[in-house]
Amino acid sequence: LYLCLGNTPNVIRQGGTSAMNFLLMDWYKCAISPLLVWSLRLPSNRDPEMRQKRRAILSSFLSGGLAGGTVTTVLYPVEFVRTRLAMDVGRGTLDAPRLYPGGMRDVCLSIWRADGWRGLYQGYGIALAGVVLYRALHLGGYDAVKTEILHRRGHRVSPDFHITNDKKRTERTDKNNILSGRTSEDSKSISSSGLTMGERFLAAQIVSIVAGTACYPIDSIRRRLMMQAGLPREERLYINSFDCFHRVIATEGARGFYLGMGPNLVRSFGAALFLVCYDVFKYQDLIR
């Protein structure tokens, strides 16, 4: 049971994060689409098709980063509680009694008494920067890799930067083309259904490893700041994120930012599977 300590807030965080990330990513993509479409009307000597593909990739990265930042702001206290409870694993002896025997309640009360509501947002600044970067690389990167692969196979980006990838939608598009006088070739758009499951998973796995490795030092700083919340100020090791960075570099070197990197790489398998599952479910919903 000790291995599952802190799992309740983790389930709450994971469920909320996963649902909100994909929901908000699609919402932000729709929100910024008109701006990107307008930018295509600006005079340029570049190939229109390449400009449209670059806007689609930019849309993926921007929407992924914005979604991650929004979710982090809302659910950061839950992530904070989960981290504190997970660090309580292995305690419970006479020599090392548990710090939070009451679980989530004890964590919240102890932090509230010491630092108020701001204590639950210790390390929020560096966490926000890290999550925006991570989600931009993870969610947006997966979309961007699919876009690039399918573009090289002859698919085109739709004018509104949305992925239309099913037979029924193609039929509806053809009807609209007849009414508007466009050809089906003009409206041929990128289709994630053009990728096999193996290709999707490989793309998702590479993106997950790259995003996790690139953002791990930021996450390491965030966790260090989280662990000193609730302590008297004179006992805290780090003043802020920049002080933490300089102290780790001076005392532990670059390796200090990558402690525990192994389990994080194993977790990338789940992150990749998660991306592929969402992609498949979204496609199945589109073809209904």
Side-chain angles (χ1 to χ4, degrees):
L1 293 178
Y2 277 115
L3 294 177
C4 296
L5 197 63
N7 194 48
T8 299
N10 183 56
V11 171
I12 297 172
R13 179 194 66 90
Q14 189 63 41
T17 299
S18 302
M20 291 177 66
N21 268 321
F22 286 117
L23 173 67
L24 291 173
M25 181 178 178
D26 288 341
W27 186 85
Y28 278 122
K29 190 174 290 187
C30 292
I32 65 179
S33 178
L35 179 61
L36 296 178
V37 171
W38 173 82
S39 69
L40 288 174
R41 299 174 185 171
L42 299 176
S44 175
N45 295 326
R46 296 179 179 177
D47 179 39
E49 186 176 334
M50 290 300 297
R51 292 181 66 202
Q52 206 165 24
K53 187 197 75 170
R54 289 171 182 169
R55 296 303 190 283
I57 293 176
L58 178 62
S59 173
S60 297
F61 282 117
L62 282 177
S63 57
L66 289 171
T70 304
V71 173
T72 296
T73 302
V74 174
L75 296 179
Y76 190 79
V78 180
E79 168 71 11
F80 182 92
V81 172
R82 181 191 72 90
T83 301
R84 296 302 291 260
L85 288 177
M87 295 302 295
D88 213 17
V89 173
R91 306 180 69 95
T93 63
L94 292 177
D95 295 331
R98 287 186 57 186
L99 298 175
Y100 312 109
M104 294 175 62
R105 180 192 60 190
D106 281 3
V107 175
C108 293
L109 288 177
S110 64
I111 300 301
W112 185 274
R113 290 166 182 164
D115 297 319
W117 65 270
R118 292 185 179 180
L120 295 174
Y121 279 87
Q122 280 281 342
Y124 168 74
I126 191 68
L128 182 63
V131 169
V132 168
L133 177 60
Y134 175 76
R135 291 301 177 187
L137 293 175
H138 190 232
L139 299 178
Y142 179 61
D143 258 7
V145 169
K146 289 192 304 178
T147 300
E148 183 63 30
I149 293 174
L150 292 169
H151 181 267
R152 291 178 180 273
R153 293 181 179 179
H155 294 74
R156 292 183 181 178
V157 182
S158 61
D160 59 353
F161 306 103
H162 286 83
I163 296 176
T164 55
N165 52 14
D166 56 279
K167 183 177 180 181
K168 291 183 179 179
R169 182 168 293 192
T170 302
E171 292 174 354
R172 292 196 299 269
T173 303
D174 289 340
K175 292 180 181 179
N176 293 333
N177 289 339
I178 295 174
L179 296 175
S180 61
R182 293 181 299 177
T183 64
S184 59
E185 185 65 23
D186 292 333
S187 61
K188 184 179 180 184
S189 59
I190 285 182
S191 165
S192 64
S193 63
L195 296 176
T196 66
M197 288 295 293
E199 289 172 331
R200 293 183 194 185
F201 182 77
L202 180 61
Q205 184 66 73
I206 292 174
V207 167
S208 297
I209 291 176
V210 170
T213 304
C215 300
Y216 196 80
I218 299 177
D219 191 56
S220 179
I221 294 176
R222 174 188 63 83
R223 283 185 276 108
R224 289 172 184 260
L225 291 176
M226 275 186 174
M227 292 312 302
Q228 66 177 15
L231 295 176
R233 294 192 178 276
E234 59 273 10
E235 296 182 15
R236 297 181 183 182
L237 296 176
Y238 316 110
I239 301 174
N240 50 40
S241 301
F242 295 104
D243 182 60
C244 180
F245 176 81
H246 288 300
R247 285 178 179 269
V248 172
I249 283 290
T251 58
E252 304 176 40
R255 290 185 178 182
F257 294 114
Y258 287 93
L259 296 176
M261 185 65 190
N264 194 66
L265 291 177
V266 175
R267 287 178 56 196
S268 69
F269 177 84
L273 192 62
F274 187 69
L275 283 176
V276 174
C277 288
Y278 173 75
D279 201 22
V280 171
F281 289 143
K282 184 177 181 180
Y283 172 67
Q284 291 298 324
D285 181 63
L286 284 172
I287 63 176
R288 289 179 182 176

